Amino acid sequence: NAGVTQTPKFRILKIGQSMTLQCTQDMNHNYMYWYRQDPGMGLKLIYYSVGAGITDKGEVPNGYNVSRSTTEDFPLRLELAAPSQTSVYFCASTQSHRGTEAFFGQGTRLTVV
Amino acid sequence: AQTVTQSQPEMSVQEAETVTLSCTYDTSESDYYLFWYKQPPSRQMILVIRQEAYKQQNATENRFSVNFQKAAKSFSLKISDSQLGDAAMYFCASTATGNQFYFGTGTSLTVIP
């Protein structure tokens, strides 16, 4: 059972570079999310999607973009990386819009230098 | 909006003993859900237990149980017969419509052999 798969697991970027964090899930979940986790903090929502073609901003969307062309995939794009984007990024999915367990990927540790 | 507060950054427990992790929350929603997630050093987020706010009965999962005090907006996690494998970061989270999760800052649990 693959669940939610994120790639890469680790990445170092230089300031100003761009990259895409990949996320795919095989559970046919409509709801997908991107969170970031900073040291000593909980996870904060960056963007979410309620289905293919529909995305919306979360608490901390600045500096990121997303797209959702299929149910399975929900990539996160970082444009013009900044040191403030150094964090661990988690992709997650849920079966429904209310109260169901969130399944998480293993996270991507991103360092911007 | 919802907020989740965990006031214990670190806790420790002797193996086989019981420990309680605290969590308080605030929400304007009438229908919401509460969760405890475990994050071991592998970074993987693992669901420990889930509580539906409309249910008065406290949720239990084997050695894990909660004390849900709706009026006080309190949701503590009790781990009985603590095991070395319970050592991890524990996050309290809430969710309502849209299933966006709001996380606390976490409690790092150490289990002493």
Side-chain angles (χ1 to χ4, degrees):
Chain A
N1 295 336
V4 179
T5 302
Q6 286 182 239
T7 56
K9 291 184 179 177
F10 303 92
R11 182 72 185 267
I12 299 174
L13 276 183
K14 293 183 178 179
I15 294 171
Q17 287 185 323
S18 299
M19 77 164 292
T20 298
L21 280 66
Q22 301 292 345
C23 176
T24 187
Q25 52 93 8
D26 62 359
M27 296 172 284
N28 202 34
H29 287 173
N30 281 326
Y31 295 79
M32 296 188 74
Y33 312 81
W34 276 105
Y35 293 89
R36 60 176 286 171
Q37 181 181 20
D38 298 321
M41 305 292 290
L43 283 69
K44 292 195 179 295
L45 183 65
I46 304 171
Y47 270 95
Y48 67 100
S49 170
V50 302
I54 306 170
T55 62
D56 207 347
K57 296 178 181 179
E59 292 181 85
V60 290
N62 291 343
Y64 307 95
N65 279 300
V66 294
S67 60
R68 184 96 182 270
S69 57
T70 67
T71 298
E72 294 78 20
D73 299 309
F74 189 41
L76 177 71
R77 179 81 175 165
L78 279 71
E79 304 280 4
L80 298 175
S84 61
Q85 293 178 305
T86 294
S87 190
V88 179
Y89 292 84
F90 287 94
C91 179
S93 72
T94 63
Q95 184 177 30
S96 77
H97 73 289
R98 180 183 286 274
T100 52
E101 175 186 359
F103 293 85
F104 287 83
Q106 287 190 298
T108 297
R109 180 176 295 279
L110 175 67
T111 303
V112 182
V113 296
Chain B
Q2 301 174 57
T3 59
V4 178
T5 303
Q6 294 179 250
S7 58
Q8 305 157 315
E10 297 178 346
M11 292 282 285
S12 62
V13 62
Q14 294 280 350
E15 194 175 3
E17 295 296 309
T18 296
V19 64
T20 299
L21 309 184
S22 301
C23 172
T24 58
Y25 63 92
D26 193 15
T27 179
S28 57
E29 303 274 351
S30 57
D31 184 16
Y32 57 92
Y33 301 79
L34 298 166
F35 299 78
W36 278 97
Y37 274 85
K38 170 185 177 180
Q39 187 181 45
S42 67
R43 283 204 314 249
Q44 183 68 53
M45 295 286 284
I46 302 165
L47 176 67
V48 175
I49 201 162
R50 170 181 173 271
Q51 174 79 43
E52 295 151 325
Y54 63 85
K55 287 188 176 179
Q56 292 187 341
Q57 186 173 5
N58 289 324
T60 62
E61 285 287 345
N62 301 314
R63 296 182 296 108
F64 299 88
S65 62
V66 298
N67 183 5
F68 175 46
Q69 302 288 329
K70 191 170 184 177
K73 294 185 177 178
S74 171
F75 183 62
S76 60
L77 175 70
K78 186 171 83 170
I79 306 174
S80 303
D81 186 27
S82 296
Q83 300 176 0
L84 294 177
D86 295 333
M89 183 73 80
Y90 286 81
F91 291 98
C92 179
S94 71
T95 182
T97 304
N99 227 14
Q100 302 164 36
F101 280 67
Y102 293 86
F103 288 87
T105 51
T107 297
S108 178
L109 179 66
T110 300
V111 181
I112 302 165

